[in-house]
Amino acid sequence: MSADAPRYWVAIPAAGIGSRMRGAVPKQYLRLLGRPVIEHTLAIFLDHPRIHGIVLALHPQDSEWPRCEYADESRVTTLPGGDARADSVLAMLDWLLPRAAPGDWVLVHDAARPCLLREDLDRLLTRAAAHSVGGLLGAPVVDTVKRADAAGEVAETVSRERLWHALTPQMFRVGMLHAALSDALARGLAVTDDASAMELAGHRPLLVEGSRSNLKITRPDDLPLATFFLTSQANGES
Ligand code: CTP
Ligand code: MG
């Protein structure tokens, strides 16, 4: 690899409190097959030879991280997150910007997505790096989609043609994402994922199809699903 080859960094927002999960600890620390969710998530990237370093945003009052297996891992840098996911991501990009070369990429991946498949990560790395802007994993919508009115009755059926669920990782150049996200937040715009900051800046990120098993643990019934997916992966079934 030449000295000028771009490097791949990973930024993991893990500063949420998991209010919808209603767990005894934030969901990134719930146990899944005997280890905290966040250890599964980190292992995917620590095991990958192309990942240069990982930044992890933690809640300022986090007391669980020091007990994790990777607390002393030199490739993982922790820093405090912010009030919303986008603030946590920007805090990580602020740290990354002076350390990254102009061509370096960052993959932003939710701590609460421990079932990311290695083959999906590889596909994203290859396809997004060949795109001018970068891209994100996504899954085409398979259900019929309804928009409700205020009474909870169907107002309309929305065509699912070309509709995708946005997943993570989402991979962009460090500098471009930093500029797009800081600008969107300064303008008070709603940014629910990293691609939407890029879109607001006028870019068109590439959608790369990934497995629907890459779920974001959000509600209590997601935990048995994640257990099932990880067990299947360990048995070589996916
Ligand atoms: N996150 C973060 N900083 C925040 C809020 C969220 O780093 N201020 C992280 C979460 O830890 C999670 C990811 O962003 O890994 C996706 O967010 P979400 O699924 O909404 O997690 P929570 O905000 O923790 O959950 P909830 O919305 O149910 O409270
Ligand atoms: Mg949230």
Side-chain angles (χ1 to χ4, degrees), residues 2-20:
S2 84
D4 296 321
R7 292 177 299 185
Y8 297 85
W9 301 82
V10 175
I12 301 185
I17 56 167
S19 52
R20 287 168 289 183

Side-chain angles (χ1 to χ4, degrees), residues 114-172:
C115 306
L116 170 65
L117 292 171
R118 173 67 170 259
E119 67 208 57
D120 285 1
L121 174 57
D122 283 335
R123 189 177 323 108
L124 178 71
L125 284 167
T126 304
R127 298 211 38 214
H131 188 268
S132 58
V133 168
L136 63 148
L137 285 181
V141 169
V142 296
D143 297 305
T144 297
V145 177
K146 308 285 188 191
R147 190 184 311 281
D149 62 16
E153 295 172 343
V154 175
E156 61 168 329
T157 297
V158 182
S159 167
R160 66 168 177 249
E161 199 184 346
R162 297 205 301 269
L163 274 191
W164 291 65
H165 295 280
L167 310 174
T168 72
Q170 305 199 351
M171 175 175 141
F172 301 106

Side-chain angles (χ1 to χ4, degrees), residues 25-42:
V25 290
K27 60 192 182 182
Q28 56 272 29
Y29 297 114
L30 291 173
R31 293 193 88 77
L32 186 58
L33 295 179
R35 9 173 23 189
V37 165
I38 199 166
E39 287 185 10
H40 291 279
T41 309
L42 284 166

Side-chain angles (χ1 to χ4, degrees), residues 78-93:
T78 63
L79 47 77
D83 289 344
R85 181 189 184 278
D87 302 309
S88 297
V89 174
L90 186 58
M92 292 186 281
L93 295 174

